[in-house]
DNA sequence: CATATTTATACCTTTTAGGGTACAAATATA
DNA sequence: TATATTTGTACCCTAAAAGGTATAAATATG
């Protein structure tokens, strides 16, 4: 189960040298949510994802379909 | 409660001259979901949003924070 | 290799998203 | 304006997301 969003978050977190518990706390979401999010869970809540992305200075947006 | 994603979907739907019930059916989601989504509800499920965007040939992605 | 750190999985509880539907409000059309 | 169409709101129900936590698995470090 891959996910661009998941990969983005995982990579950004590592760039900042944060553990999952640290990111969870600083982004203001639950630890389990971070775990599931990074593992590509699709049935997550949009506002929670936005909350994490906001911590990284990003946000969700509509983009073209990528062919791959 | 504004939302870029909500606005995108509402506009795309109108471009295709679809009613909310029609979009709901064709995208394979509930009518109430379409309603709430277009009204900018933030606590929606990511997979459902993706499902609607897919119908429009788009998807969710991480983008830079927009200043406005 | 042994140990420490980090990540993944499992269990339970509370909250709520989503679906269906009915009706009201708003908008478009004759 | 009257009527038809579309959209918004309110109701109930079911399924499951999210949180907390404990423990196992994996990874990193000495």
């Amino acid at each position: 189960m891959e996910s661009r969003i998941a990969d983005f978050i995982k990579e950004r977190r590592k760039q900042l040298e944060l553990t999952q518990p640290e990111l969870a706390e600083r982004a203001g979401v639950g630890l389990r949510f971070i775990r599931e999010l990074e593992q590509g869970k699709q049935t997550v809540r949009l506002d929670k994802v936005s909350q994490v992305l906001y911590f990284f200075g990003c946000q969700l947006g509509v983009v073209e379909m990528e062919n791959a």
Side-chain angles (χ1 to χ4, degrees), chain A residues 18-50:
Chain A
L18 296 173
T19 62
Q20 289 176 341
E22 286 167 344
L23 174 58
E25 167 140 54
R26 297 186 60 181
V29 298
L31 168 58
R32 239 203 35 197
F33 176 78
I34 293 291
R35 298 210 200 289
E36 293 178 332
L37 179 58
E38 288 194 358
Q39 285 175 108
K41 183 178 180 182
Q42 290 295 303
T43 58
V44 289
R45 258 171 47 184
L46 188 114
D47 64 325
K48 295 290 171 183
V49 179
S50 296

Side-chain angles (χ1 to χ4, degrees), chain A residues 4-32:
Chain A
R4 289 174 229 286
I5 295 171
D7 292 343
F8 176 88
I9 288 169
K10 187 177 245 175
E11 286 175 21
R12 270 295 180 93
R13 174 174 66 79
K14 298 209 164 178
Q15 282 174 13
L16 299 180
E17 299 189 66
L18 296 173
T19 62
Q20 289 176 341
E22 286 167 344
L23 174 58
E25 167 140 54
R26 297 186 60 181
V29 298
L31 168 58
R32 239 203 35 197

